[in-house]
Amino acid sequence: MRPTEPNPRSQITAHVDPELIVIPYSIDPDFGSKFDTMKIMKGTYQEEFHESYDVEFTIDVDQKGYITQFEHTFTLERYLDLIRTQSYRVIQTNWRGQSFHVMTYGYMKEVLSPNNVILRCTDAEDVFIVAELVPFRADGVVEQPNHRYLQFHALISARDDLYPMDYICQPDFDLNLD
């Protein structure tokens, strides 16, 4: 798979080899079993929001509850390393008796941490979020130990119509330091 041309205004190629600006796609039928050790929350993402956790930045959902957009706040070093190590990836797998695509948004050790929880987007159980719920921190110090924030690590989807692979696998990494 070849990357698309980076945005001409993007400064990312000054920091990352253009050959590494890709989102790898792989097939691993057994990968989904790694999620079996994680707790599945009772409510959907929207039902658990403000009940079990908050988010630093909003994860946008459509009227049905499916994710349409989300943001991460990474340090520049982490963002560049995630791209360099091709940690953003798509894996076709089986889980809970059906075929899914897993889209990772962190290092694999974070994506597969047994401390993670899984949240359904809807009752249809065709799209899930893999996240860790962590205490709120400011400058590395826990400020609110009982107040949990969601750290989004992966999206598990059986809905190629909502998240088409030809779009998901195209890198759209951008970096503008101005």
Side-chain angles (χ1 to χ4, degrees), residues 122-137:
T122 71
D123 288 332
E125 298 193 4
D126 53 0
V127 177
F128 299 83
I129 297 169
V130 177
E132 186 174 2
L133 303 181
V134 297
F136 178 75
R137 295 176 179 270

Side-chain angles (χ1 to χ4, degrees), residues 27-132:
I27 299 171
D28 182 349
D30 298 324
F31 185 80
S33 66
K34 296 176 182 186
F35 297 118
D36 291 339
T37 61
M38 296 176 197
K39 175 183 177 182
I40 297 180
M41 302 293 282
K42 289 182 182 181
T44 65
Y45 166 79
Q46 287 183 296
E47 291 166 348
E48 295 285 341
F49 186 53
H50 295 306
E51 293 295 322
S52 301
Y53 66 88
D54 281 310
V55 291
E56 185 175 2
F57 291 98
T58 303
I59 297 175
D60 297 333
V61 296
D62 66 14
Q63 294 171 337
K64 294 181 181 176
Y66 294 106
I67 292 178
T68 58
Q69 185 175 341
F70 65 92
E71 297 176 6
H72 271 297
T73 55
F74 295 144
T75 64
L76 175 62
E77 294 78 22
R78 177 181 167 91
Y79 178 62
L80 295 174
D81 194 56
L82 286 167
I83 295 169
R84 276 188 210 106
T85 59
Q86 297 180 341
S87 295
Y88 295 102
R89 57 184 47 244
V90 177
I91 303 161
Q92 181 184 340
T93 192
N94 298 311
W95 183 53
R96 303 178 82 191
Q98 68 179 359
S99 180
F100 284 95
H101 282 106
V102 177
M103 292 151 258
T104 64
Y105 301 104
Y107 300 112
M108 198 56 68
K109 67 181 180 186
E110 295 167 340
V111 171
L112 299 177
S113 170
N115 297 326
N116 289 345
V117 297
I118 297 176
L119 296 129
R120 298 173 284 120
C121 283
T122 71
D123 288 332
E125 298 193 4
D126 53 0
V127 177
F128 299 83
I129 297 169
V130 177
E132 186 174 2

Side-chain angles (χ1 to χ4, degrees), residues 4-13 172-176 178:
T4 57
E5 289 298 315
N7 179 335
R9 294 185 317 267
S10 178
Q11 299 172 10
I12 200 156
T13 55
D172 189 17
F173 301 128
D174 192 15
L175 178 63
N176 187 341
D178 295 333

Side-chain angles (χ1 to χ4, degrees), residues 142-155:
V142 173
E143 296 284 334
Q144 301 171 0
N146 297 322
H147 195 81
R148 301 286 178 194
Y149 276 79
L150 182 138
Q151 289 185 344
F152 187 82
H153 293 307
L155 183 76

